[in-house]
Amino acid sequence: MHHTPIYAHPDGHEITVGQGLLTACTAEGIALSMPIGPDGLAALGAALLEHATTAAQDESERAGAALGTDLARELSALRGRPQAETFRAVREALRTLTKLEHPDSAAGGFAVAIVNLLELGTANLPRCDEGADK
């Protein structure tokens, strides 16, 4: 009976396919098999690809959020320093952001991390009284 490994985990777990069966086997040798045909394999493959893409997008979003959080900390530490240093920090963060996989997801995570900072900053901007000049 020939089974083709389609996934082997470093810990010894394995998934194989063959003889019309999809078999998952633990490192200890406990196996679970289920019948699967070509259409089932194709549907499973598509679902796994979609899940892998979603997982990669989630990872990119987390990476973008971490980058935004790091930038917020850096900007806070640069308070009172020359503006060129602040711009350099923002430029480097944006440059790094553009290199992350799944840019839309990464940008979303980044935005979530810095929106509160921007809202707080704009709320604390000095206000001009309209009638003060008169």
Side-chain angles (χ1 to χ4, degrees), residues 4 10 25 71 118-119 130:
T4 304
C25 199
L71 175 62
L118 294 173
E119 288 177 341
E130 290 181 25

Side-chain angles (χ1 to χ4, degrees), residues 3-9 14-18 21-23 41 44 48:
H3 288 273
T4 304
I6 57 172
Y7 174 74
H9 190 276
E14 186 176 71
I15 298 174
T16 62
V17 65
L21 295 173
L22 178 68
T23 304
L41 283 172
L44 177 62
L48 289 172

Side-chain angles (χ1 to χ4, degrees), residues 54-70 97 100-102 105-110 113:
T54 300
Q57 288 170 328
D58 290 346
E59 185 60 34
S60 289
E61 186 173 330
R62 283 189 291 277
L67 186 61
T69 300
D70 290 347
L97 181 65
L100 294 176
E101 189 178 0
H102 299 287
S105 297
F110 183 83

Side-chain angles (χ1 to χ4, degrees), residues 83-104:
Q83 199 173 37
E85 290 181 41
T86 303
F87 287 140
R88 192 173 305 117
V90 171
R91 184 185 70 228
E92 288 306 312
L94 293 174
R95 189 176 280 162
T96 302
L97 181 65
T98 63
K99 295 176 184 176
L100 294 176
E101 189 178 0
H102 299 287
D104 289 346

